[in-house]
Amino acid sequence: MKILVAVKRVIDYSVKVRVKADNSNVDLTNVKMSLNPFCEIAVEEALRLREAGKATEIVVVSMGVKAAQDQIRTALAMGADRGIFIETGDAELNSLSVAKLLAKVVQDEQPGLILLGKQAIDSDNNQTGQMLAALCGYPQATFASKIVVEGDTATVTREIDGGLQTLKLSLPAVVTTDLRLNEPRYVKLPDIMKAKKKPLAVTTPAELGVPVANTITLVRVDAPAERSAGIKVESVDALIDALKNKAKVI
Amino acid sequence: MDITEIERDSMEFDVVIVGAGPAGLAAACRLMQLAKEHHQELTVCLVEKGSEVGAHILSGAVIESRAIEELFPNWQELGAPLNVPVQRDELYLLRNETAAVKIPNAFIPATMHNEGNYIVSLGNVCRWLAEQAEGLGVEVFPGFPASQLLLNEDGSVAGIITGDMGIGIDGEPKDSFTPGMELRAKYTIFAEGCRGHLGKQLYSQFQLDADADAQHYGIGIKELWDIDPSKHQEGLVIHGSGWPLGGGTSGGFFLYHSENNQAVVGLIIDLNYSNPYVSPFDEFQRMKHHPLIADYLQGGKRVAYGARAITKGGFNALPKMHFPGGLLVGCNAGTLNFAKIKGTHTAMKSGMLAAEEIFAALQAGDTGGKDLSGYDARFQNSWVYTELQASRNFGPALHKFGSLIGGAFNFIDQNIFRGKLPVTLRDDHPDYAQLRPASEFAPIQYPKPDGKLSFDKLSSVFLSNTNHDEDQPSHLRLKDPTIPIGKNLPLYAEPAQRYCPAGVYEVLGEGAEARFQINAQNCVHCKTCDIKDPAQNITWVTPEGGGGPNYPNM
């Protein structure tokens, strides 16, 4: 079975996010970019399925600016076999456009399982996996914390509000990963060298014949309001008085 | 499982370089250029502890382009990020919290003139150098710290071992445990920067500093600001000294107007200060309230924060830079020219000379592990040596005579005699031994930060984007865990609480309840604790790869 994993280049999780002075977007100038952590978990799960003999090939796909090839290389260094990069340039891609491009890749590659992160830590949309399943007409299981592949089915445990839900899907299927699914491995130095030589095909939306129309405009981004300075009180009475009369919360 | 006994994978290269700063990257590029010129196969591997190249680079910086021009004569075509030529140079003496005296140009030591220099982000310069290095065929591996030396049976350096990944806070391997690798090389170039932790081992292993004066250090604290465009004057360079430093604490500040309406502001404090109550962080924060600086910053927004120690002993403190199997370059040796407050061009040149020495040896069929003493001659015949030699008295003069008379000496020495005065001033007291007991001083009451120009430590560290996996052993090791509370606290009021610019060290509780806490996750890898602890009890070792700050264009 072939597994297709979609990965996204995002602002690194350790970076303090800044909004541009004109509030038009998040400022990415000179900011460290990385593989989205949920996507990393998806790559790791694919590797574990291959190591367990459930998969034979892992294809990683990403899109965006040229530099996003770095994130494909990271996935290849972890152990994926080959990459596909769809160059879309600086244009803001909404989830539906991403899902349409991925659906075309699914059509061309015919994978048995498609793994994605449940969401990207930059836009937090949590839509692409669901849209992709719908476009392909495949069953889907989101927020996976456990995946067991047997023959032509996958049994997926989902993290839902207040508990767990287990679903059995017929393959091919789309599964999105949650945080507790696995802990991704550390990349080894020789594997980074090997990854540089693994095949990475570059294509464009035009070559794939998928029109990328943007139907959503980003209007404005605001940073969280600054917290005003606190005060120190001497006694419980003063605290109650401050909560009642100054903060007016009780 | 005993981690010290573990089987490690091994890879072999002709040359391994430790550290992707200007020195290491220049060495890497020069090696590959020579290999290409001579049609020789050469494998060069460069490891870097930061999560990406540039993540741990922090410098002013105004740089001289001399070394870059030598390395890449077509540097402009190649898009080197030297975009802001210095337009104007100003030097001030801050008299007190409101007054400043502008030093007339004629009285400024010649070394401190900046015509022809560039205001840069050294982080971005390193990112660019790394692209050139990779283009030339160097294997660059960020996220892989060189954690141990690898020695041959004859004691010569055989390479390094990269850090183990996935060890828990209890010292036991986790499920994700991935052992570090042996990177073996004919020659290893150590370019770790100021107070490199392998460099420190090499100094004692090969007694590299036996004939040198004690090394001297400073701590540089820096912030990057987006400032009001109407106040921004691209290319303006301001230096100065004086207030708020005093009482035997010396140093200097900088404010550079770089590109995109950004300005960088910083303070370098000499680490030979004697008052244990001095807090370099708080000195810097209050310094920004001086009208000379505040006027530019008001209405702006702080974007990034960081700190790094500086090797500034100069010529007299230069160690032996070669030993069997390896060479020491850049600030790991101490090639910074303190009279110019510049180290990038000298660091790069020292790396290029190391590359030339090693390449010549390999070309002659050398199989590695030799003591390449020819590096000395290359170094001594280069402009770096001439430059450092001419500036040898600058730091010692300031240390010995203070900034006024020392400054006058430097003016005469540098402007009239151009560094050729037949005297050499020496300053052989190590910085850590200069602290005086706390009982001789009154605690310093620093003003509360206002949240606009000045800030507290924790919100500052937040802007260094520092991250270390929580579940790993502390990378700040105490040789004797009883010293902080048993000796340093009663004698020096435990100065680590104050000299650390990232709030790593805390004394919690009082009297018999007092305990020493190390918040290693906050560490910005500045190395000040390793340098300034009066008992020399703190050893900085490499944390798990990729940990530490994630500086943007610092």
Side-chain angles (χ1 to χ4, degrees):
Chain A
M1 179 177 75
K2 185 194 284 185
I3 301 179
L4 181 72
V5 188
V7 301
K8 185 176 181 187
R9 173 186 175 87
V10 296
I11 196 163
D12 187 83
Y13 66 90
S14 60
V15 169
K16 157 112 170 56
V17 173
R18 279 186 301 127
V19 174
K20 283 184 182 173
D22 63 0
N23 294 88
S24 63
N25 207 337
V26 166
D27 195 348
L28 295 183
T29 331
N30 292 308
V31 163
K32 189 190 168 208
M33 305 295 282
S34 294
L35 183 56
N36 178 37
F38 293 110
C39 300
E40 203 180 344
I41 291 170
V43 174
E44 176 66 31
E45 195 60 19
L47 296 173
R48 291 185 187 191
L49 286 168
R50 192 184 60 191
E51 282 157 5
K54 306 290 183 190
T56 48
E57 191 188 20
I58 300 167
V59 181
V60 174
V61 57
S62 190
M63 55 192 74
V65 294
K66 235 188 198 113
Q69 293 186 29
D70 291 352
Q71 279 60 50
I72 298 183
R73 291 286 174 205
T74 302
L76 296 177
M78 288 173 74
D81 297 296
R82 65 185 167 90
I84 299 170
F85 176 64
I86 308 167
E87 196 173 344
T88 57
D90 286 327
E92 192 84 21
L93 283 180
N94 62 34
S95 304
L96 185 59
S97 299
V98 175
K100 282 179 178 170
L101 287 162
L102 290 177
K104 179 64 171 63
V105 175
V106 169
Q107 193 191 329
D108 294 346
E109 293 284 335
Q110 294 293 318
L113 178 65
I114 303 132
L115 290 172
L116 301 90
K118 69 169 180 179
Q119 67 196 58
I121 61 166
D122 53 358
S123 56
D124 274 347
N125 283 342
N126 190 332
Q127 293 173 324
T128 305
Q130 292 89 324
M131 288 174 170
L132 176 63
L135 288 169
C136 296
Y138 289 169
Q140 61 171 301
T142 50
F143 314 126
S145 63
K146 191 176 174 197
I147 303 174
V148 179
V149 173
E150 271 319 323
D152 56 1
T153 63
T155 307
V156 179
T157 306
R158 302 181 63 226
E159 299 203 356
I160 55 171
D161 282 349
L164 298 171
Q165 181 191 54
T166 304
L167 300 176
K168 195 168 184 180
L169 318 175
S170 59
L171 299 178
V174 174
V175 178
T176 72
T177 61
D178 214 325
L179 202 61
R180 274 166 284 270
L181 181 59
N182 60 50
E183 195 185 324
R185 65 197 61 196
Y186 295 108
V187 174
K188 290 189 184 137
L189 207 139
D191 294 335
I192 298 176
M193 292 172 77
K194 276 182 218 150
K196 289 181 184 167
K197 298 191 178 83
K198 287 184 179 176
L200 200 172
V202 180
T203 180
T204 60
E207 273 175 29
L208 293 172
V210 179
V212 189
N214 219 349
T215 49
I216 298 174
T217 310
L218 176 60
V219 179
R220 192 182 159 83
V221 177
D222 286 285
E226 298 259 337
R227 184 179 151 288
S228 52
I231 55 162
K232 271 191 185 163
V233 291
E234 294 295 324
S235 64
V236 175
D237 288 344
L239 174 66
I240 292 172
D241 179 65
L243 289 174
K244 235 183 211 153
N245 301 319
K246 285 211 179 98
K248 298 189 198 305
V249 289
I250 55 171
Chain B
M1 175 160 80
D2 185 353
I3 295 170
T4 54
E5 298 284 302
I6 182 170
E7 276 283 307
R8 294 180 185 281
D9 289 340
S10 172
M11 284 175 88
E12 294 209 15
F13 298 90
D14 291 316
V15 183
V16 164
I17 301 171
V18 181
L25 287 163
C29 291
R30 189 74 196 116
L31 276 165
M32 284 324 239
Q33 286 176 341
L34 289 165
K36 286 198 166 33
E37 270 169 41
H38 294 89
H39 306 288
Q40 192 168 327
E41 282 281 312
L42 192 72
T43 53
V44 178
C45 165
L46 189 155
V47 288
E48 159 60 40
K49 68 183 164 67
S51 64
E52 60 171 4
V53 173
H56 289 183
I57 297 291
L58 182 138
S59 183
V62 172
I63 67 167
E64 273 188 39
S65 55
R66 184 170 189 176
I68 288 183
E69 277 167 34
E70 272 182 32
L71 188 59
F72 295 107
N74 58 337
W75 58 280
Q76 276 162 318
E77 229 172 277
L78 294 171
L82 277 63
N83 304 325
V84 183
V86 174
Q87 302 292 346
R88 207 167 83 232
D89 238 335
E90 294 178 359
L91 183 66
Y92 291 88
L93 180 65
L94 304 187
R95 302 293 297 273
N96 54 42
E97 58 190 80
T98 50
V101 181
K102 190 170 176 183
I103 313 288
N105 225 9
F107 292 115
I108 297 176
T111 51
M112 291 191 58
H113 289 275
N114 280 304
E115 300 94 344
N117 295 335
Y118 294 84
I119 301 173
V120 301
S121 147
L122 193 59
N124 282 354
V125 170
C126 288
R127 289 179 180 104
W128 175 80
L129 279 170
E131 273 172 35
Q132 308 311 311
E134 288 197 295
L136 286 162
V138 179
E139 299 282 356
V140 181
F141 297 112
F144 291 90
S147 74
Q148 298 173 56
L149 292 172
L150 194 60
L151 299 178
N152 290 312
E153 274 176 20
D154 64 1
S156 61
V157 173
I160 55 99
I161 302 175
T162 62
D164 295 327
M165 305 288 276
I167 295 176
I169 197 159
D170 54 4
E172 292 295 315
K174 299 185 272 186
D175 290 347
S176 58
F177 177 67
T178 307
M181 281 189 71
E182 289 182 1
L183 300 182
R184 295 185 168 271
K186 295 190 176 102
Y187 288 100
T188 308
I189 299 177
F190 294 86
E192 300 169 289
C194 172
R195 197 74 168 193
H197 95 290
L198 295 181
K200 193 175 159 186
Q201 294 171 29
L202 292 165
Y203 275 72
S204 64
Q205 183 115 1
F206 297 106
Q207 285 152 16
L208 300 178
D209 53 356
D211 298 325
D213 286 1
Q215 187 56 272
H216 291 283
Y217 302 91
I219 175 175
I221 305 178
K222 173 185 166 181
E223 291 175 355
L224 177 66
W225 283 67
D226 283 339
I227 66 168
D228 179 350
S230 67
K231 296 174 180 172
H232 189 258
Q233 302 174 41
E234 191 168 301
L236 174 61
V237 166
I238 297 175
H239 286 114
S241 60
W243 186 88
L245 304 180
T249 304
S250 53
F253 72 87
F254 59 89
L255 174 69
Y256 306 147
H257 290 235
S258 51
E259 54 197 323
N260 301 324
N261 291 320
Q262 289 193 317
V264 293
V265 57
L267 178 65
I268 298 169
I269 293 190
D270 299 334
L271 282 177
N272 68 340
Y273 65 80
S274 54
N275 181 349
Y277 288 114
V278 164
S279 164
F281 173 85
D282 292 292
E283 296 291 349
F284 172 56
Q285 293 304 323
R286 76 167 160 185
M287 180 206 87
K288 286 182 288 172
H289 284 274
H290 194 285
L292 179 75
I293 294 155
D295 284 351
Y296 288 114
L297 300 182
Q298 235 129 32
K301 195 173 178 344
R302 188 171 70 145
V303 174
Y305 167 87
R308 182 72 172 97
I310 292 162
T311 321
K312 54 181 260 297
F315 186 79
N316 301 334
L318 270 182
K320 204 173 124 194
M321 291 159 75
H322 54 85
F323 43 86
L327 297 174
L328 212 53
V329 300
C331 285
N332 219 355
T335 57
L336 179 131
N337 183 345
F338 185 54
K340 290 184 175 175
I341 354 172
K342 283 179 192 56
T344 303
H345 64 300
T346 49
M348 286 185 69
K349 182 67 181 175
S350 74
M352 288 150 68
L353 293 167
E356 285 159 18
E357 175 66 20
I358 289 173
F359 186 79
L362 295 179
Q363 211 187 11
D366 189 334
T367 52
K370 309 278 184 320
D371 191 350
L372 297 181
S373 53
Y375 182 51
D376 270 345
R378 284 180 198 270
F379 193 73
Q380 281 164 21
N381 291 327
S382 75
W383 52 258
V384 181
Y385 186 88
T386 316
E387 189 180 313
L388 294 181
Q389 212 262 350
S391 302
R392 71 194 177 285
N393 289 330
F394 197 91
L398 294 176
H399 279 195
K400 267 190 160 35
F401 309 133
S403 45
L404 203 63
I405 299 173
F409 174 88
N410 284 336
F411 179 78
I412 296 165
D413 188 24
Q414 297 298 323
N415 291 40
I416 299 171
F417 293 94
R418 301 277 157 191
K420 295 194 175 83
L421 266 185
V423 289
T424 296
L425 303 177
R426 299 198 170 269
D427 174 9
D428 212 10
H429 302 285
D431 293 340
Y432 66 85
Q434 300 281 33
L435 270 187
R436 307 285 312 151
S439 57
E440 296 179 15
F441 302 90
I444 304 173
Q445 298 299 333
Y446 288 103
K448 233 183 123 182
D450 70 352
K452 293 186 179 79
L453 287 174
S454 49
F455 305 90
D456 63 24
K457 257 186 202 177
L458 285 183
S459 64
S460 301
V461 177
F462 188 49
L463 287 184
S464 66
N465 302 324
T466 295
N467 186 54
H468 290 93
D469 191 320
E470 279 174 74
D471 191 11
Q472 65 174 306
S474 169
H475 68 280
L476 298 153
R477 307 264 168 88
L478 300 178
K479 283 182 223 156
D480 177 351
T482 66
I483 284 181
I485 298 299
K487 280 195 183 147
N488 282 355
L489 187 59
L491 203 53
Y492 300 109
E494 185 45 274
Q497 304 173 80
R498 290 172 294 276
Y499 61 61
C500 173
V504 169
Y505 301 99
E506 284 183 285
V507 174
L508 302 174
E510 280 181 47
E513 303 283 292
R515 66 187 180 85
F516 192 58
Q517 177 161 303
I518 303 180
N519 307 309
Q521 293 104 302
N522 280 5
C523 175
V524 295
H525 297 200
C526 76
K527 317 280 176 78
T528 303
C529 51
D530 195 293
I531 295 165
K532 188 61 177 172
D533 180 57
Q536 291 291 283
N537 185 44
I538 302 174
T539 305
W540 191 99
V541 300
T542 48
E544 198 166 87
N550 281 291
Y551 293 138
N553 47 326
M554 287 289 263

